[in-house]
Amino acid sequence: MPQILTVIGARPQFIKAAAVSRQIAETQGLNEMLVHTGQHYDANMSDVFFDELEIPHPAHHLGIAGGGHGAMTGRMLAAIETLLLEVRPDIVMVYGDTNSTLAGALAAAKLHIPVAHVEAGLRSFNKRMPEEINRILTDQCSDLLLTPTATATQNLLREGVPEAHIVECGDVMFDAALHFGRKAEADHAGPARFGLTPGQYALATVHRQENTDDPIRLAAILDGLAAVTRDLKVVLPLHPRTRARIDAADLTDRLEALHIIEPVGYLDMVALEKHAAVVATDSGGVQKEAFFYEVPCITLRDETEWVELVEAGWNRLVIPNDPSAIHQAILEARGTRGLDIAPYGSGNASGIIVDRLERMLG
């Protein structure tokens, strides 16, 4: 039976893999082995996701986390190579743009094992972002490039990727949003357990390196969010790494006005997104989830890979160096809607991916 080895390591990848893994499990003649690098090691950022997303816990957990990008990626590369030599899968599947993604793709390519990249072709055109380097290199290593949008497909074609290697399948996160949005409601996940009233709060997430590791930007984000609380409660599930950077920059007092909660499981996060008045984030995944649930979004970055949402008015880019600009953008976005668009497929990306894998594996 053809063997698919899937490498994941970070929270967004668990969500994406859940949709595709469920489809693989329902397909006769395919077998999947999940490998968790350990990049997100906090139980709330990892273990709970496998339970909530109804996918098997990984067959292998490499336990690799922390350190610089080079050290982390190198350790992952060595560990994944050892595992690939032992398992000899027919194809390696990777997701997104993390260090785990690049390590899995490189290890497989060097052993001449085909690579399938889910969420291929995304570009911010900012090579100062580690994620941008990971995307470009992973796409260059891949044999099957599974793009979520027409924009991503065009990016690859401009870079000279053969059209025969590209499949525009739609976004697997849309698949997940449809499935788990219903499940969150059925399981009564929701804002009430966090002391929040639906529609009466802004949801914020901050974790990206260019924001957390720059004290000026980090202070601007926290001050901008604090200013919003004069009109609207702001809830911030605080990523462990972000909390550490806030403490190191002596910005802990900036948290006093905010409604701080620990990182939450996926179903609770879905419910918080669905019932927010507005979302402010530097996460690529949360930008899209806000759109899926028809909630206006402010993206606290210099650029975004999801340009379709900015063009349609669902998303607003705000460079996070001015608290007043952040404050104003969040309040102005509240209660607004963008254009009716459907850039991410029809919710069957996982089926298209598995169909192509079946054909590729014979």
Side-chain angles (χ1 to χ4, degrees):
M1 181 182 296
Q3 175 78 58
I4 301 165
L5 187 143
T6 297
V7 178
I8 51 179
R11 168 182 170 147
Q13 295 169 327
F14 308 152
I15 300 166
K16 297 164 193 170
V20 180
S21 294
R22 189 181 311 110
Q23 189 76 33
I24 292 173
E26 294 172 357
T27 303
Q28 285 191 331
L30 290 180
N31 184 53
E32 182 183 34
M33 175 184 291
L34 285 176
V35 177
H36 186 350
T37 63
Q39 186 168 338
H40 279 175
Y41 55 92
D42 182 272
N44 281 339
M45 302 294 286
S46 179
D47 293 348
V48 68
F49 272 65
F50 293 101
D51 297 329
E52 289 190 337
L53 297 176
E54 303 167 335
I55 55 176
H57 282 245
H60 298 274
H61 195 302
L62 304 182
I64 299 170
H69 285 283
M72 178 191 288
T73 307
R75 286 154 55 210
M76 289 177 181
L77 180 60
I80 294 169
E81 180 182 65
T82 299
L83 183 59
L84 293 180
L85 287 169
E86 175 188 332
V87 175
R88 288 290 179 181
D90 296 283
I91 192 167
V92 169
M93 186 156 57
V94 295
Y95 290 81
D97 55 18
T98 69
N99 291 337
S100 302
T101 308
L102 178 59
L106 278 174
K110 286 176 176 289
L111 294 174
H112 309 295
I113 300 170
V115 176
H117 183 200
V118 179
E119 211 172 70
L122 296 185
R123 297 291 182 268
S124 68
F125 303 103
N126 177 5
K127 288 190 177 179
R128 293 179 61 85
M129 292 175 58
E131 296 89 347
E132 182 77 352
I133 302 302
N134 291 345
R135 294 179 195 120
I136 293 169
L137 296 179
T138 299
D139 283 342
Q140 290 298 313
C141 290
S142 297
D143 302 272
L144 177 60
L145 297 103
L146 299 151
T147 62
T149 65
T151 301
T153 298
Q154 289 304 311
N155 288 340
L156 293 176
L157 292 173
R158 280 194 298 269
E159 293 173 9
V161 175
E163 188 172 359
H165 293 189
I166 303 170
V167 177
E168 189 177 311
C169 58
D171 196 323
V172 294
M173 285 195 71
F174 188 27
D175 298 22
L178 293 174
H179 178 80
F180 290 107
R182 292 187 292 266
K183 182 170 170 48
E185 296 295 338
D187 287 5
H188 305 294
R193 74 174 67 187
F194 301 105
L196 301 166
T197 302
Q200 300 301 311
Y201 62 90
L203 172 65
T205 75
V206 184
H207 77 275
R208 198 169 289 273
Q209 182 176 327
E210 65 261 31
N211 289 335
T212 62
D213 293 8
D214 183 335
I216 295 174
R217 290 169 74 106
L218 187 56
I221 291 170
L222 295 177
D223 287 343
L225 294 177
V228 172
T229 63
R230 295 194 291 265
D231 299 280
L232 188 66
K233 184 174 283 191
V234 177
V235 58
L236 174 63
L238 197 53
H239 191 290
R241 186 177 178 281
T242 305
R243 183 182 287 276
R245 293 298 184 272
I246 290 171
D247 293 343
D250 197 24
L251 297 172
T252 308
D253 61 320
R254 307 297 217 281
L255 300 176
E256 292 175 1
L258 308 179
H259 188 86
I260 303 298
I261 61 176
E262 293 298 313
V264 297
Y266 182 54
L267 294 182
D268 278 330
M269 189 63 179
V270 164
L272 287 172
E273 290 167 348
K274 289 185 71 172
H275 296 288
V278 61
V279 169
T281 185
D282 59 8
S283 162
V286 174
Q287 290 173 53
K288 287 186 296 175
E289 287 169 339
F291 166 69
F292 298 150
Y293 301 128
E294 300 184 351
V295 175
C297 181
I298 301 300
T299 293
L300 302 169
R301 286 174 54 188
D302 295 15
E303 68 285 301
T304 178
E305 302 74 35
W306 307 105
V307 294
E308 303 86 2
L309 300 183
V310 176
E311 292 168 355
W314 285 101
N315 193 1
R316 295 165 173 80
L317 273 176
V318 179
I319 297 175
N321 55 15
D322 180 357
S324 63
I326 295 169
H327 171 214
Q328 182 178 354
I330 292 172
L331 293 185
E332 287 180 353
R334 182 184 182 186
T336 65
R337 288 183 59 86
L339 301 175
D340 289 331
I341 57 170
Y344 303 121
S346 57
N348 68 333
S350 301
I352 294 170
I353 289 169
V354 173
D355 178 69
R356 178 51 71 98
L357 289 173
E358 279 191 289
R359 285 190 278 153
M360 188 172 179
L361 296 171

